[in-house]
């Protein structure tokens, strides 16, 4: 075999090997829709926003924020946050935001509703990249006391849910309206996802309400 042809075959074989290894690595790294969001999101780079910022910038009615957690325990971690414009959200939903924690390798999707003129309900969907787990928690806030948390303890939460006649079914529907029907639908419209709002992929969901 002539040397140029032999070199070409070696090069092609190497390239094919690299592609196979790369694809295998991606299959291990990205196992669900939240992995896609994290690795394609601005928070995964731990760099300031620059154009192109993130795939998320292609979603209409979404805005960006960057801020730092100031507490010593958080080690000054920078948080990148994408927020839907309030005027575009459904009635009574006042917040839909996506936060990236690059050091902790987490993504948080927050869906919040106004329950009364002074009480808000906040639902957090926090995904851990390393654990492949989506933890769902909720809190009640008092808007007259600068957003002070009224209750976060699970037992007390149940008391508040009963007080405001909010069922588990209602919570699931509210959370799905923000996370699945709005954000994840928008995600698959701007990214060639292998998943969908109905098929999240390999992810364990832990619900604390």
């Amino acid at each position: 075999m002539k040397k140029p042809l032999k070199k070409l075959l070696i090069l092609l074989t190497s390239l094919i090997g690299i592609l196979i290894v790369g694809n295998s690595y991606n299959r291990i790294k990205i196992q669900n829709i939240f992995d896609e969001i994290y690795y394609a999101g601005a928070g995964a780079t731990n760099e300031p926003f620059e154009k192109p910022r993130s795939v998320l910038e292609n979603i209409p009615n979404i805005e960006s924020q960057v801020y730092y957690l100031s507490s010593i325990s958080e080690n000054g971690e920078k948080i990148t946050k994408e927020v839907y414009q309030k005027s575009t959200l459904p009635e009574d939903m006042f917040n839909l935001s996506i936060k990236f924690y690059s050091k902790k390798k987490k993504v948080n999707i927050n869906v919040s509703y106004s329950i009364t003129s002074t009480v808000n309900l906040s639902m957090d969907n926090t995904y851990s990249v390393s654990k492949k787990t989506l933890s769902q928690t909720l809190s009640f806030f008092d808007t007259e006391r600068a957003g002070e948390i009224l209750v976060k303890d699970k037992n007390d939460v149940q008391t508040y849910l009963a007080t405001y006649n909010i069922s588990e079914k209602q919570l699931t529907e509210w959370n799905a309206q923000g996370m699945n029907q709005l954000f994840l639908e928008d995600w698959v419209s701007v990214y060639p996802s292998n998943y969908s709002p109905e098929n999240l992929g390999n992810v364990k969901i832990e619900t604390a309400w």
Side-chain angles (χ1 to χ4, degrees):
M1 183 179 294
K2 295 182 179 180
K3 285 187 177 181
L5 181 58
K6 185 176 181 181
K7 288 182 178 180
L8 179 60
L9 288 173
I10 292 173
L11 179 60
L12 288 174
T13 301
S14 299
L15 288 174
I16 292 171
I18 291 172
L19 288 174
I20 292 173
V21 171
N23 287 334
S24 298
Y25 175 71
N26 282 332
R27 281 197 296 271
I28 295 172
K29 182 177 72 171
I30 300 177
Q31 298 184 19
N32 57 63
I33 197 167
F34 302 107
D35 283 334
E36 289 179 340
I37 293 165
Y38 178 81
Y39 285 109
T45 64
N46 200 27
E47 295 294 335
F49 283 134
E50 294 179 359
K51 299 292 184 179
R53 181 183 82 243
S54 160
V55 175
L56 297 183
E57 73 175 339
N58 297 320
I59 295 177
N61 307 316
I62 203 167
E63 300 174 339
S64 303
Q65 300 175 9
V66 181
Y67 62 96
Y68 290 83
L69 292 178
S70 59
S71 66
I72 295 175
S73 62
E74 298 291 353
N75 197 27
E77 178 170 7
K78 183 184 71 176
I79 306 302
T80 55
K81 182 178 181 181
E82 305 281 354
V83 184
Y84 277 77
Q85 296 174 10
K86 186 177 179 180
S87 60
T88 66
L89 298 176
E91 185 179 4
D92 293 330
M93 185 189 297
F94 72 88
N95 182 71
L96 176 55
S97 60
I98 304 91
K99 289 185 288 188
F100 294 89
Y101 296 80
S102 56
K103 289 183 179 180
K104 294 182 178 179
K105 298 189 74 172
K106 290 184 177 181
V107 179
N108 174 274
I109 302 167
N110 177 269
V111 186
S112 297
Y113 287 85
S114 297
I115 304 303
T116 71
S117 60
T118 60
V119 175
N120 292 337
L121 171 64
S122 176
M123 291 175 283
D124 284 302
N125 302 272
T126 304
Y127 176 70
S128 169
V129 176
S130 59
K131 295 180 180 179
K132 308 299 180 193
T133 299
L134 184 74
S135 300
Q136 298 179 322
T137 58
L138 62 83
S139 306
F140 284 92
F141 291 83
D142 185 341
T143 60
E144 290 188 331
R145 290 187 282 182
E148 177 184 343
I149 298 179
L150 292 175
V151 59
K152 199 171 184 178
D153 177 82
K154 185 175 181 178
N155 293 329
D156 291 337
V157 163
Q158 294 301 320
T159 300
Y160 266 75
L161 292 176
T163 299
Y164 296 108
N165 196 28
I166 302 172
S167 66
E168 184 175 338
K169 179 181 178 182
Q170 181 67 76
L171 288 174
T172 301
E173 290 176 353
W174 278 343
N175 193 51
Q177 183 182 34
M179 183 175 74
N180 300 73
Q181 297 165 22
L182 283 177
F183 174 56
L184 295 185
E185 284 287 353
D186 283 343
W187 172 255
V188 299
S189 73
V190 299
Y191 184 83
S193 179
N194 290 316
Y195 309 96
S196 72
E198 297 77 29
N199 175 25
L200 303 177
N202 177 28
V203 55
K204 180 181 180 182
I205 299 177
E206 296 178 344
T207 303
W209 61 67

